[in-house]
Amino acid sequence: MALVETRSIDYVPLRERHGKVWHLWPVWFTGDAHLATLATGAISVAAGLSLFWSAIAVLGGCALGTVLMAFHCTQGPHLGLPQMIQSRPQFGYLGALLVWVVALVTYIGFNALNQTLAADTLKELAGFPHGPTVIVFSLVAVAVAVIGYDLIHLAQRWLAYAMLAVLAVYTVGAFGIVDLGKLLAPGEFRATPFLVQFFAAAAYQLSWSIYVSDYSRYLPKDVGIRESFFWTFWGAFVGGAWMMLVGTFAYAAFATPDGIIAALRDSSDAIFPGFGVVMLVTSFLGLITITSLNFYGASLTLLSVMDSLTSVQLGVKARVLSLFTVFTAAVSLSLVVSGNVLHGFEAFLGVLGYLFTPWTAINLVDFFFVRKGRYSIRAMFMADGLYGKWNWRGLVSYAVGFAAMIPFFKTGLYTGPVATALGRADISMLVGLPVSAGVYLYLCRNLNLQAEQEQIAVLDRNLETEPVR
């Protein structure tokens, strides 16, 4: 492999496949074990729910979201394509723009938040100024993304070892600094904060689904579904749940007006003096790499959007140009808006999560139950090809699933009647997933898969010897 990754959204031929399936574990363990995950675990404790019930909500929500995310990851080795390109068979060459634009906004928004969080952390540690910190942090993150897939995997593996060590020390040390028997007393069960925490954790884990295949697409094609699912699930579940539970514990035992980062530092220093700095620095390094993952995924999504609208010469140049486009957008957003506005934008990004629930259901049902992994790689890059410009089955299923979720929404702008009746708890994910999946299965009952398979055999007969584009 070249030092700088040469491919972008194009197909990865079998001769270029490399890596081991267990490498997925550290990618997603470290992808979750960082400062941005920490606050997710403190939501219900801050609302007055006990540590015991908050921990159960975190574990249950993480399990639900990670199962869906891990199934998406299995598509990467099989198809050798980024996650978003795989949406074209379900929604059409142009219809897939619906989820791609939302994904692009999400990437940029979350990186703006990551950059602000990084600046706040370095200000806490060393008093660094906000603006220069955001720029330097972002340059380091985008440099990793420029080099690409292999460096991201390598960095995640080394950071996984460090995070395993500090999280183990923190967890063991926690038993000695508080009365866990008292702190873990169940207390009163309160349905609303429990459900809020459960679905916040689930949505957080589900958010990886939009680019999880980007980091498995270079693996050999003979990697089994069980193996890729296993290593992805346990990496993301352990990293996400563990880091969220650290946030739950830190806020429950060391709540402070200065926020969750200060609570993490105070609780770490209570284990032994100076450990707070170690914990923050290690988690901060994880924040750099997850920002790199977001930049990398955003660049591939931007290229997918451009490829649908005009002819694009794929390759390293296009990927780097798209990287610096999303870099400029994210840094500008982080620099020009205030902390309060960023907090509001974070809530807006949470709303965007509603838009991914129908997509994940349709994409997974199509892959595992309708087409069963049988796709034409070449047809995904043809504007008037096998999958058409607009796939009415996917678009209708998406619209029906999204509409079914609306009464269950809870946002700053709108709370649905069902959410109000449930005490303002948002369970829309449990509605959107089965409705979207069921409608899509029903609409695909007369899809002529035999004719489609005959065309695939012709279209992809020289896939490994002739360029896709």
Side-chain angles (χ1 to χ4, degrees):
M1 297 294 292
L3 174 63
V4 176
E5 182 184 353
T6 57
R7 296 200 174 274
S8 54
I9 61 173
D10 45 331
Y11 171 70
V12 180
L14 298 182
R15 64 183 178 276
E16 295 181 18
R17 305 291 186 91
H18 62 284
K20 299 176 181 178
V21 67
W22 72 264
H23 292 169
L24 295 172
W25 194 94
V27 165
W28 299 113
F29 173 82
T30 311
D32 261 326
H34 54 78
L35 292 172
T37 311
L38 197 70
T40 307
I43 292 172
S44 55
V45 172
L49 192 66
S50 70
L51 177 62
F52 175 84
W53 290 115
S54 295
I56 291 177
V58 164
L59 292 170
C62 280
L64 173 61
T66 309
V67 163
L68 298 170
M69 169 259 201
F71 274 122
H72 281 292
C73 189
T74 65
Q75 299 168 324
H78 183 75
L79 295 174
L81 292 171
Q83 191 73 64
M84 288 288 97
I85 286 291
Q86 299 173 30
S87 298
R88 279 175 171 166
Q90 300 98 54
F91 297 96
Y93 192 85
L94 293 178
L97 286 170
L98 170 71
V99 290
W100 293 354
V101 172
V102 175
L104 189 59
V105 172
T106 304
Y107 283 129
I108 293 172
F110 275 129
N111 263 5
L113 294 167
N114 287 346
Q115 291 153 3
T116 300
L117 183 57
D120 292 344
T121 303
L122 289 184
K123 184 177 181 180
E124 170 83 12
L125 287 171
F128 288 176
H130 178 87
T133 301
V134 166
I135 294 173
V136 173
F137 170 85
S138 303
L139 285 172
V140 173
V142 82
V144 174
V146 166
I147 295 175
Y149 180 95
D150 284 339
L151 181 58
I152 289 172
H153 270 261
L154 183 63
Q156 294 293 78
R157 283 201 293 278
W158 282 106
L159 278 175
Y161 304 140
M163 282 307 304
L164 279 170
V166 297
L167 285 174
V169 171
Y170 185 95
T171 303
V172 173
F175 287 91
I177 59 175
V178 295
D179 183 351
L180 280 180
K182 182 179 179 181
L183 195 63
L184 285 173
E188 179 187 1
F189 175 77
R190 299 171 59 195
T192 298
F194 181 89
L195 290 173
V196 168
Q197 180 66 76
F198 182 95
F199 287 105
Y204 188 89
Q205 295 299 92
L206 180 63
S207 67
W208 300 120
S209 298
I210 61 175
Y211 64 172
V212 63
S213 280
D214 297 359
Y215 303 99
S216 63
R217 74 190 197 278
Y218 278 92
L219 289 174
K221 189 173 183 177
D222 59 3
V223 167
I225 287 177
R226 289 185 180 181
E227 291 82 358
S228 55
F229 176 89
F230 175 88
W231 289 109
T232 302
F233 176 84
W234 286 111
F237 178 76
V238 172
W242 201 350
M243 201 68 182
M244 286 184 202
L245 289 175
V246 167
T248 306
F249 167 80
Y251 204 83
F254 292 83
T256 168
D258 296 327
I260 188 62
I261 292 178
L264 176 65
R265 185 172 188 174
D266 291 345
S267 59
S268 301
D269 283 336
I271 296 172
F272 64 84
F275 185 50
V277 172
V278 175
M279 193 73 177
L280 285 180
V281 169
T282 311
S283 302
F284 176 82
L285 293 175
L287 195 62
I288 293 176
T289 56
I290 192 55
T291 304
S292 298
L293 265 74
N294 284 341
F295 276 137
Y296 184 88
S299 69
L300 298 184
T301 302
L302 178 59
L303 277 178
S304 300
V305 171
M306 294 171 60
D307 183 64
S308 295
L309 300 176
T310 186
S311 178
V312 175
Q313 183 66 42
L314 303 179
V316 63
K317 183 178 179 180
R319 186 173 64 83
V320 171
L321 287 174
S322 64
L323 262 173
F324 279 96
T325 301
V326 296
F327 164 85
T328 302
V331 171
S332 299
L333 182 62
S334 182
L335 290 176
V336 302
V337 299
S338 68
N340 289 334
V341 173
L342 274 175
H343 181 74
F345 192 68
E346 185 175 13
F348 171 68
L349 291 173
V351 174
L352 295 180
Y354 294 140
L355 298 171
F356 290 121
T357 296
W359 166 80
T360 196
I362 293 166
N363 182 264
L364 290 177
V365 164
D366 188 69
F367 185 86
F368 287 102
F369 297 102
V370 177
R371 291 185 168 95
K372 299 179 180 179
R374 302 186 187 100
Y375 298 94
S376 168
I377 304 299
R378 292 190 187 280
M380 292 191 204
F381 293 91
M382 296 177 177
D384 295 307
L386 177 62
Y387 303 119
K389 289 186 177 181
W390 306 93
N391 188 328
W392 66 272
R393 293 179 176 88
L395 294 170
V396 169
S397 303
Y398 185 99
V400 173
F402 184 82
M405 296 167 64
I406 293 175
F408 299 83
F409 284 175
K410 178 190 174 298
T411 71
L413 297 176
Y414 171 79
T415 299
V418 179
T420 301
L422 293 173
R424 301 178 70 81
D426 188 335
I427 62 168
S428 59
M429 184 185 294
L430 291 184
V431 177
L433 288 171
V435 170
S436 302
V439 172
Y440 188 73
L441 276 172
Y442 177 78
L443 295 179
C444 288
R445 70 196 187 283
N446 59 356
L447 185 63
N448 191 343
L449 293 174
Q450 182 177 351
E452 190 173 285
Q453 295 306 309
E454 292 172 356
Q455 293 184 62
I456 291 173
V458 174
L459 287 168
D460 289 359
R461 64 183 181 276
N462 297 320
L463 184 64
E464 298 301 324
T465 57
E466 297 178 4
V468 172
R469 290 287 299 270

